């Protein structure tokens, strides 16, 4: 009888533990759907305080930080943007480590690639998308973003090569004019910066289209799920 009582107590404790983390996650989901991404981050992290191995909480914390990065781009807060994307990558990597499920790993790698793409770490993003597709070849968004990252990397390399040749030619022509050389270097740097802004715009458009698809999917799940409090996503 005593053994049965202990087992019941353990089961109740486990159930309460599970409910707490899922309830906190769902509260974060509500704020996420309202586009209050900072508040969503707060509740996802509370869920992780209950269980730091919780895949959905790690993944969704990454999502909330990634969405905050969009606002920081508009505000031109480069320091905050860098920190936000680095944190986003950290939680996506954590979600990757805490699961053995093939589909979940693919999802984590895909989102990690998105954060790396927005950070303009193009080679790293390409590798993440490839790993995601090895696990889930039918992921069309990963295929699309892989092609985009490869295109941007090729364009960046071509521009760097063109700028290098142009600079070498100008330096050869006016090697005795130091001030002119400095001016030309500044112009070359401005050209790279302008291209970088165009790249960011392309990335944002692609990711915003995919975000709309995610929100539509979440809305469908919300309708199907009704009032099931412990239904996480």
């Amino acid at each position: 009888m005593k053994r049965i009582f202990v087992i019941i107590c353990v089961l109740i404790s486990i159930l309460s533990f599970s409910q707490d983390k899922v309830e906190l996650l769902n509260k974060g989901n509500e704020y996420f759907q309202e586009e209050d991404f900072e508040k969503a981050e707060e509740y996802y992290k509370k869920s992780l305080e209950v269980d730091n191995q919780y895949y959905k909480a790690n993944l969704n914390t990454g999502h909330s930080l990634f969405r905050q990065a969009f606002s920081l781009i508009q505000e031109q807060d480069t320091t905050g943007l860098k920190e936000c994307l680095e944190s986003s990558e950290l939680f996506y990597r954590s979600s990757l480590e805490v699961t053995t499920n093939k589909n979940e790993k693919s999802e984590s790698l895909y989102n990690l690639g998105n954060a790396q793409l927005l950070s303009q770490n193009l080679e790293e993003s390409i590798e993440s998308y490839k790993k995601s597709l090895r696990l889930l070849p039918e992921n069309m968004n990963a295929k699309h973003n892989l092609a985009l990252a490869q295109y941007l990397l090729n364009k960046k390399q071509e521009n760097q090569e063109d700028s290098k040749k142009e600079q070498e030619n100008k330096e050869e022509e006016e090697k005795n004019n130091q001030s002119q050389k400095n001016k030309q270097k500044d112009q070359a740097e401005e050209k790279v910066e302008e291209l970088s802004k165009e790249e960011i715009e392309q990335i944002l458009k692609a990711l915003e289209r995919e975000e709309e698809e995610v929100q539509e999917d979440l809305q469908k799940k919300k309708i199907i799920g009704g009032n099931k409090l412990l239904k996480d996503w």
Side-chain angles (χ1 to χ4, degrees):
M1 186 69 181
K2 184 178 179 181
R3 180 178 296 178
I4 294 173
F5 177 75
V6 171
I7 292 172
I8 291 172
C9 288
V10 170
L11 290 173
I12 291 173
S13 176
I14 292 172
L15 180 61
S16 175
F17 174 81
S18 176
Q19 286 178 332
D20 285 344
K21 70 177 185 181
V22 176
E23 286 173 358
L24 289 166
L25 182 88
N26 284 337
K27 189 66 177 177
N29 291 346
E30 290 176 13
Y31 282 112
F32 191 95
Q33 290 178 336
E34 293 169 4
E35 298 189 2
D36 188 344
F37 302 116
E38 290 185 11
K39 201 70 177 176
E41 177 194 351
E42 177 185 334
Y43 275 90
Y44 294 146
K45 287 183 175 178
K46 285 181 179 179
S47 179
L48 285 172
E49 288 175 5
V50 177
D51 181 7
N52 63 5
Q53 301 295 301
Y54 189 17
Y55 171 79
K56 284 292 184 182
N58 276 287
L59 185 74
N60 289 6
T61 304
H63 289 339
S64 63
L65 287 161
F66 182 76
R67 291 299 295 152
Q68 288 175 57
F70 278 68
S71 299
L72 294 172
I73 289 173
Q74 294 172 349
E75 295 168 8
Q76 297 185 339
D77 182 354
T78 54
T79 302
L81 174 63
K82 184 174 182 293
E83 293 175 354
C84 200
L85 288 172
E86 285 177 351
S87 296
S88 178
E89 286 187 39
L90 179 65
F91 282 99
Y92 285 141
R93 291 184 190 278
S94 294
S95 70
L96 184 62
E97 291 172 0
V98 299
T99 183
T100 57
N101 181 281
K102 182 180 74 171
N103 291 343
E104 290 180 345
K105 280 185 174 293
S106 178
E107 184 177 3
S108 295
L109 285 163
Y110 164 70
N111 285 286
L112 176 61
N114 288 345
Q116 292 165 335
L117 182 62
L118 198 57
S119 299
Q120 298 188 62
N121 296 325
L122 300 177
E123 293 180 358
E124 292 180 13
S125 71
I126 287 170
E127 188 59 31
S128 293
Y129 291 137
K130 284 181 177 179
K131 287 180 179 178
S132 176
L133 286 166
R134 289 188 193 109
L135 293 169
L136 199 65
E138 61 270 26
N139 187 338
M140 295 306 297
N141 285 334
K143 288 181 180 179
H144 177 271
N145 286 6
L146 172 60
L148 175 60
Q150 289 173 327
Y151 164 76
L152 292 172
L153 181 61
N154 290 337
K155 183 180 176 183
K156 181 179 178 181
Q157 291 172 340
E158 288 172 3
N159 288 337
Q160 288 175 341
E161 186 63 29
D162 290 343
S163 296
K164 182 180 178 182
K165 288 180 180 178
E166 182 181 349
Q167 188 65 25
E168 287 174 353
N169 290 337
K170 288 180 179 179
E171 287 178 355
E172 182 65 26
E173 291 172 3
E174 302 186 26
K175 57 185 177 181
N176 296 322
N177 191 335
Q178 185 64 38
S179 62
Q180 184 66 22
K181 282 170 36 178
N182 290 338
K183 182 179 178 181
Q184 288 159 0
K185 287 180 181 178
D186 291 340
Q187 289 174 343
E189 289 172 0
E190 287 173 8
K191 183 177 181 182
V192 172
E193 182 182 355
E194 183 181 351
L195 289 170
S196 176
K197 288 178 181 178
E198 291 173 359
E199 291 173 1
I200 290 175
E201 199 171 313
Q202 285 180 284
I203 293 167
L204 286 175
K205 285 180 181 178
L207 295 178
E208 281 173 353
R209 284 196 299 269
E210 290 163 18
E211 175 64 20
E212 289 175 4
E213 293 176 11
V214 171
Q215 290 293 351
E216 288 175 5
D217 183 55
L218 290 178
Q219 194 62 31
K220 289 177 184 176
K221 288 180 180 179
K222 185 176 180 181
I223 293 170
I224 293 169
N227 295 320
K228 293 180 181 179
L229 183 61
L230 298 183
K231 178 69 175 178
D232 63 356
W233 49 261

